[in-house]
Amino acid sequence: MAGKNKNGFRTVGEAEAEEYRIKIREHRLKILKRTAIALLILLLAVMGGALFMAFRQYSGYDVLSSVQRSDTMATKFDEFQGNIIKYSNDGAFYLDTENELIWNQTYEMSNPKLDMCEQYLVIYDKKGTQIYILTKDGLQGSIETIMPIRQVCVAAQGTVAVLMENSRGAFLALYGRDGSNLVSGEIHGEQGGYPVAIALSRDAIKLAVSMLNVNDGTVKSTVAFYNYSSIGQNEIDNCVGVVSFAGMVIPELRYTAGDKMTAFGDSKIAVFDGAKKPQLITEIPIEKEAQSIFYNENYMGLVYDNEDEAVTKHLVVCDIEGKIVMEKDFSMDYTDIEFLSNDEVCIRSETVCDIYTLRGVHKFHYEFDRTLHRVIPGGSDLNYTFVLSDVTEKVRLK
């Protein structure tokens, strides 16, 4: 029973106090329910917005900034560390996306080619003798070879592997990032096999060489693996493994993420675990002639002819262990197909660009009124840099 004490304050009985406690609990529960419902609605809205953005298709863009350039017809473009490499027979320019010069490197080359790994870039003259080793800060070293260059690979710390041609076959050399010679010597395959491609691991410890053997009208490719750590010290010439493929030509090799080494053949793609001694972990058959094979550190893409006349091409994207992550039919007559630095697939002709996500979403389609040389992803999913004839545009898709 409630009453008043001597100070005039009203006292509350136990039953009435319990009723107050129940009302307080009910009030708190209502607040919690309202808060939970509000948070759920917000979460659903965020998820819905994310799904909308992930599956939305764009057919236009707003130009955020535009800078005019002056180029020759022979100028080529590539991306390095988020900026633009503009190169030709007489030199290279490294520019930011505002077309501000970071550095330039002069040279005279008949057929300049690039290779990149993390912070390092090499520019070399295929069938010539010049190699330049660069970072975003400029020239780190240069090499003048004594034999014509077939291929150059660079590792993450700047070590360079060079496959050269001579009258007896081929010559292989490793150089430091300052151009100093580390290892060199002739290289021969079994029964006179001729080296056609090399791959250097990111840590410069592992090297793979593809060699082609043609005997009595039969073709065989052999991949030899070399290890320059303690693992290969007790092996002849540091060779830790040799794998042969009958009836196949392997014109390209590549070390990818997780110390995988991928051999791109004309009838299948072979993936090796190359951390120590190589182990073949998967083979991806190429059931019919591929129009294109392209790759980056994490994925491989193949384009086949499609029997459907409405969509004449079929795209397959696999991860580095051969698992299919995306398939897509398309009909564009393209001149170039590649993975962008954000893992999206970019298909280009001279004036048309299509971008697909790894979910298979046709994210962007646009027909330009001038030649498109390069597409570089920006700081968000909608921001890109378009390197067009005589102009660089930073854009946002809409």
Side-chain angles (χ1 to χ4, degrees), residues 207-243:
L207 178 73
V209 182
S210 169
M211 287 171 280
L212 179 65
N213 300 77
V214 181
N215 291 296
D216 300 324
T218 62
V219 174
K220 180 177 72 172
S221 285
T222 300
V223 180
F225 295 86
Y226 299 85
N227 191 302
Y228 296 100
S229 72
S230 58
I231 294 170
Q233 284 180 355
N234 296 324
E235 306 290 342
I236 298 175
D237 295 330
N238 293 87
C239 184
V240 294
V242 177
V243 181

Side-chain angles (χ1 to χ4, degrees), residues 58-359:
Y58 301 87
S59 57
Y61 60 87
D62 290 322
V63 177
L64 305 179
S65 65
S66 178
V67 182
Q68 296 294 317
R69 300 188 324 273
S70 178
D71 308 317
T72 66
M73 291 292 292
T75 301
K76 298 179 182 178
F77 298 86
D78 212 326
E79 178 187 356
F80 176 60
Q81 294 288 304
N83 293 314
I84 301 166
I85 285 284
K86 184 174 79 167
Y87 66 102
S88 63
N89 292 10
D90 55 5
F93 296 86
Y94 187 46
L95 311 164
D96 65 19
T97 53
E98 300 290 346
N99 205 43
E100 292 293 328
L101 179 67
I102 301 172
W103 53 252
N104 72 292
Q105 178 63 51
T106 59
Y107 53 72
E108 290 293 333
M109 295 185 183
S110 298
N111 189 12
K113 299 291 184 183
L114 309 183
D115 190 65
M116 305 173 197
C117 186
E118 295 188 7
Q119 306 293 323
Y120 278 86
L121 159 75
V122 289
I123 305 175
Y124 66 96
D125 192 9
K126 188 170 183 177
K127 298 201 177 289
T129 58
Q130 289 183 308
I131 303 170
Y132 291 86
I133 307 166
L134 304 118
T135 68
K136 63 182 181 180
D137 297 318
L139 184 67
Q140 304 299 308
S142 63
I143 301 164
E144 182 78 24
T145 65
I146 58 174
M147 303 173 201
I149 298 165
R150 184 178 184 88
Q151 186 186 353
V152 176
C153 297
V154 65
Q157 85 283 40
T159 299
V160 174
V162 184
L163 180 62
M164 292 167 275
E165 302 172 346
N166 65 18
S167 58
R168 294 183 300 275
F171 195 87
L172 186 65
L174 292 178
Y175 297 89
R177 60 175 172 249
D178 59 354
S180 58
N181 186 276
L182 303 177
V183 179
S184 60
E186 287 187 353
I187 185 166
H188 303 280
E190 59 182 15
Q191 299 177 348
Y194 185 77
V196 295
I198 60 172
L200 183 65
S201 64
R202 302 169 77 87
D203 58 9
I205 290 174
K206 296 166 285 293
L207 178 73
V209 182
S210 169
M211 287 171 280
L212 179 65
N213 300 77
V214 181
N215 291 296
D216 300 324
T218 62
V219 174
K220 180 177 72 172
S221 285
T222 300
V223 180
F225 295 86
Y226 299 85
N227 191 302
Y228 296 100
S229 72
S230 58
I231 294 170
Q233 284 180 355
N234 296 324
E235 306 290 342
I236 298 175
D237 295 330
N238 293 87
C239 184
V240 294
V242 177
V243 181
S244 294
F245 299 89
M248 186 166 77
V249 178
I250 301 176
E252 198 161 359
L253 304 173
R254 184 74 176 186
Y255 277 93
T256 54
D259 254 338
K260 302 292 188 299
M261 204 295 296
T262 305
F264 297 92
D266 58 352
S267 59
K268 62 185 171 184
I269 298 172
V271 182
F272 296 84
D273 185 350
K276 295 181 180 178
K277 293 189 176 183
Q279 299 291 328
L280 181 64
I281 57 175
T282 190
E283 292 181 325
I284 305 167
I286 301 176
E287 297 174 355
K288 52 186 177 180
E289 185 177 357
Q291 285 193 13
S292 300
I293 297 176
F294 60 104
Y295 53 85
N296 64 4
E297 290 295 314
N298 303 301
Y299 299 99
M300 299 174 283
L302 298 96
V303 179
Y304 299 103
D305 282 326
N306 205 341
E307 296 178 358
D308 189 336
E309 292 183 0
V311 280
T312 56
K313 299 171 184 66
H314 184 67
L315 167 66
V316 179
V317 175
C318 306
D319 64 19
I320 56 174
E321 295 186 353
K323 180 182 177 182
I324 294 176
V325 297
M326 188 263 276
E327 292 189 75
K328 196 73 179 179
D329 291 325
F330 68 98
S331 57
M332 178 178 169
D333 291 326
Y334 64 92
T335 56
D336 189 70
I337 182 167
E338 64 177 344
F339 289 107
L340 300 179
S341 57
N342 61 359
D343 290 334
E344 292 175 340
V345 177
C346 181
I347 307 173
R348 291 186 282 116
S349 68
E350 185 173 286
T351 58
V352 180
C353 176
D354 282 350
I355 296 176
Y356 292 86
T357 71
L358 290 179
R359 297 185 180 93

